[in-house]
Amino acid sequence: MSDWYREAGVDIAAGNEAARRYARLAQATRRPEVMAAIGGFSGGFRLDTARFPQPVLLSGADGVGTKLKLAFASGRHDTVGIDCVAMCVNDILTSGAEPLFFLDYLATGKLDVSVAETVVAGVAAGCAEAGCALIGGETAEMPGMYEDGEYDLAGFAVGVANQPDLIDGRRAQVGDVLIGLGSDGLHSNGYSLVRKLIAEAGVKLTDETPFAAPGGSTHAGRAWTWADELLRPTRIYVRPVLTALAAGLDIRAMAHITGGGLVENVPRSLPDGLTAEITLGAWPKPPVFSWLLQQSGMDVIEAARVWNLGIGFTLVVPAERTEETLAWLTTQGERAYRIGRIVPGTGDARLVEAGA
């Protein structure tokens, strides 16, 4: 039967080998609450009700989007798994949740075990960074569904918070301050437009960028290429934010800056009647965004609806605790900036020039 199935395009042996490799990768993310190794029909996780006596489970699902097209074109598959984890865990973090476990879904037309292992190694790396366990997933080989060498990747995260500690934005008020945490470039949004712009500019992924590598140094002893820049993984904010909450810092609302940029995502964290006034120029804009703005002809306000412009996560804090919060986040290795304030309004975001 397996020979017939292989002739139809599905290699069961390759799938079994991939699963064996995944199990080894998942072991490095294991938490004490995990009840069984990968390989069964489901993943078990024993909730620690001593730590969370009033538990609320928070969940999220997301993918990597058309950024995957750049992974296919460059043959670099080691970072997109981190993206997949980051997109999910940063979302549930906005409620103050600790990510507990993660499952991935990898679908392809023909399974390349080496590529799949590299992708899932990135997933495991992202889970380790977020402190959650990779407890299972699915690898689907579906001939005819995808172009040769292509795949799709999605993820699912579950986290927990004590009900009294949930952060839902209701405590945000006029006069609070908006703090932004720096992004590592584009993260995983706006890539359909990015791909269009680099194609129009005749840019190849192997070309050197017109700007330096982050920090101004070379990358592994060589020039910083467009593949290096565009495949930088989404930053995971879990550890610094949870550490800040555990230290007693008063965080009243949080937003993950994904599709829709600052303009669309910050208002999602606020109650009716409040507006986020965001000060343009209050943080350093990574050079990739300057290039994209120049190439597209977009103004910065329009671009703020597409890309994160250098801010990947936002926090709303009381004005009197702003400096304390900024200092704490800096000690945790974050690039943290005071980027705006909360004012009366209609539940939107307003971009203003510095000094206005």
Side-chain angles (χ1 to χ4, degrees), residues 237-298:
Y237 298 99
V238 171
R239 292 190 190 276
V241 171
L242 289 184
T243 302
L245 290 170
L249 295 178
D250 188 2
I251 299 174
R252 295 177 169 178
M254 294 188 278
H256 181 200
I257 310 306
T258 55
L262 286 161
V263 172
E264 299 293 336
N265 285 288
V266 174
R268 294 170 61 188
S269 69
L270 299 174
D272 292 342
L274 297 182
T275 284
E277 187 178 86
I278 301 171
T279 304
L280 296 170
W283 68 93
K285 187 164 78 265
V288 66
F289 295 110
S290 297
W291 186 92
L292 290 168
L293 285 167
Q294 181 179 18
Q295 181 64 27
S296 66
M298 297 167 68

Side-chain angles (χ1 to χ4, degrees), residues 203-327:
V203 167
K204 296 176 180 160
L205 294 178
T206 53
D207 290 344
E208 184 176 353
T209 62
F211 44 84
S217 63
T218 56
H219 179 64
R222 59 175 173 77
W224 186 249
T225 68
W226 280 101
D228 294 326
E229 178 64 42
L230 299 179
L231 287 170
R232 295 175 71 190
T234 305
R235 190 166 180 81
I236 293 174
Y237 298 99
V238 171
R239 292 190 190 276
V241 171
L242 289 184
T243 302
L245 290 170
L249 295 178
D250 188 2
I251 299 174
R252 295 177 169 178
M254 294 188 278
H256 181 200
I257 310 306
T258 55
L262 286 161
V263 172
E264 299 293 336
N265 285 288
V266 174
R268 294 170 61 188
S269 69
L270 299 174
D272 292 342
L274 297 182
T275 284
E277 187 178 86
I278 301 171
T279 304
L280 296 170
W283 68 93
K285 187 164 78 265
V288 66
F289 295 110
S290 297
W291 186 92
L292 290 168
L293 285 167
Q294 181 179 18
Q295 181 64 27
S296 66
M298 297 167 68
D299 62 41
V300 69
I301 293 177
E302 185 180 5
R305 294 183 179 275
V306 180
W307 298 305
N308 66 60
L309 297 184
I311 297 295
F313 202 85
T314 60
L315 317 172
V316 173
V317 303
E320 65 273 14
R321 300 197 68 178
T322 302
E323 295 307 318
E324 175 191 7
T325 306
L326 288 170

